[in-house]
Amino acid sequence: MSRLIIVSNRVAPISEGGPAAGGLAVGVYDALKETGGMWFGWSGDVLASGQPQIALEERGPVTFATIGLLRRDYDQYYRGFSNATLWPAFHYRADLVQYDRHEYEGYSRVNAWLAQQLVPLLREDDVIWVHDYHLIPFAQALRAAGVKNRIGFFLHIPFPASQVLLAVPPHRELVQALCAFDLLGFQTRPDLRAFCDYIVNEAGGTTALQPDGLTRIEAFGQTLCAGDYPIGVYPDEIAELARAGERGKPVRTLKSTLHGRKVIMSVDRLDYSKGLVERFRAFERLLDHTPAQRNKVSFVQIAPPTRADLHAYQDIRLRLEAESGRINGRYAELDWTPIWYIHRQYERAVLAALFRASNVGYVTPLRDGMNLVAKEYVSAQDPEDPGVLVLSRFAGAAQELSGALIVNPLDIDGMADALGTALSMPLAERLARYQDMMAQLRENNVSVWRDRFMRDLGRVSVRQASLPPLERAQG
Ligand code: GDG
């Protein structure tokens, strides 16, 4: 059987309770620990000088192959082009896009270097699955090094509309690089459509939907396939974690502090794409418009630090601190704090238990590839007495979780209304919505996501070699 080789920017440090904050780490680790294989990528170390060396570590069925980055590479490839150019652009924040040609050169250079590090570890029949925006040129780099294996790519974040992508100066080179993969996976159909739109209208290529549901793409002299593969979770595993934590200390502390008040819960990396400021304001609006909710509900926002050495992230942190202080200053009483803003990380089991103990899951990103927190929140609920999910229409998860109260995160009044509706929703309706969403989560769990992608990757390369040229193009 061929080995699965996962390549991602960061190989997550895995502790007993699974990986820490970050959706890619959670999803990929869950997918890999079942099949076994190798996970290759950056160790998280930044070296001042020297020659970074690969470290290999076996943990059960998974081999972790990690390597440090030199300071300049970290600055250009990771902090620079990946996170100050691609991340904002792909989340529709053209206003935050910074571009520096040297950083882009660093991005390309580090991709080529990482690919060269991987080559000696590869076997002929390995299947390589590359993840996310840091590694767009990775297949091109592997091919240049003579690698003939099947190579797939999954984008965890949105693929932006062409007019937004054009804000990234080397947009054409990036899309051309994507076309060196055998299979491209996107989180949702709208992301796949956005990619196809670029291929047809900007790159002069063709796309055609095949009977098997994959989209065949011809562009830049390459033929490849693309599809949508919404990432999932293991809902029953999360439910079990949440149930086990029901009587644990964090939940007891929460409950004793709340004195029977309701609780709205949010968990996000502290990222400007997550819509935190708008979310705080909508909670304030709920208190403004519904005096009966004052002193009856608290909003807990857990927001572990992330990319704290980037200016845009320091800025969102300051804004949130100001907003939570301002709102608490307006409404807090001696015995009640409206917003608990907690800038630290918790264990996965604690989060699951807190989700279960809360009445509303409040997940309102401005843009999100999928958003696993939304899926984890639903999974963690008590099946007899579930909470309500309030979910942004701009999270990929909204394409699947129709049992949520879907909101526009820019509509502060609309979000405040949805919070009010969620807090007073009768049990029968909560049950119906929960059951609907749980059925969906079970049907498309993270193994299904992985298996669909791997099955298609196994098919495409064989077929691409034998297919006749496209007869009919579609946008
Ligand atoms: C990217 C895409 C896509 C959060 N705080 C803590 C913690 N977390 C965990 C959550 C969840 C994960 O991190 C976050 O995943 P999300 O999906 O919500 O968001 P991103 O990190 O932006 O992930 C996203 C995802 O990739 C997967 O494809 O869904 O759209 O942006 O699992 O529970 N975990 C722990 N402590 C925390 O304090 N242990």
Side-chain angles (χ1 to χ4, degrees), residues 439-450:
Q440 172 65 30
L441 294 176
R442 287 192 173 112
E443 196 181 305
N444 183 38
N445 70 19
V446 78
S447 310
V448 174
W449 168 74
R450 176 200 57 215

Side-chain angles (χ1 to χ4, degrees), residues 37-51:
M38 186 164 77
W39 190 351
F40 171 81
W42 177 34
S43 60
D45 296 331
V46 180
L47 314 176
S49 60
Q51 280 277 359

Side-chain angles (χ1 to χ4, degrees), residues 22-23 156 187 267 269 274 304 345-346 368-372 376:
H156 288 256
Q187 294 271 24
V267 176
R269 289 181 304 98
K274 302 291 182 182
Q345 189 165 304
Y346 283 87
D368 221 326
M370 177 53 57
N371 196 299
L372 293 181
E376 291 164 359

Side-chain angles (χ1 to χ4, degrees), residues 19-24 26 87 91 154 156-157 187 231 267-269 274 302 304 344-348 351 368-373 376:
L24 181 146
V26 172
W87 178 272
H91 287 86
F154 183 74
H156 288 256
I157 64 176
Q187 294 271 24
I231 193 169
V267 176
D268 313 77
R269 289 181 304 98
K274 302 291 182 182
I302 295 173
R344 53 164 284 197
Q345 189 165 304
Y346 283 87
E347 279 178 26
R348 212 176 171 193
L351 292 183
D368 221 326
M370 177 53 57
N371 196 299
L372 293 181
V373 170
E376 291 164 359

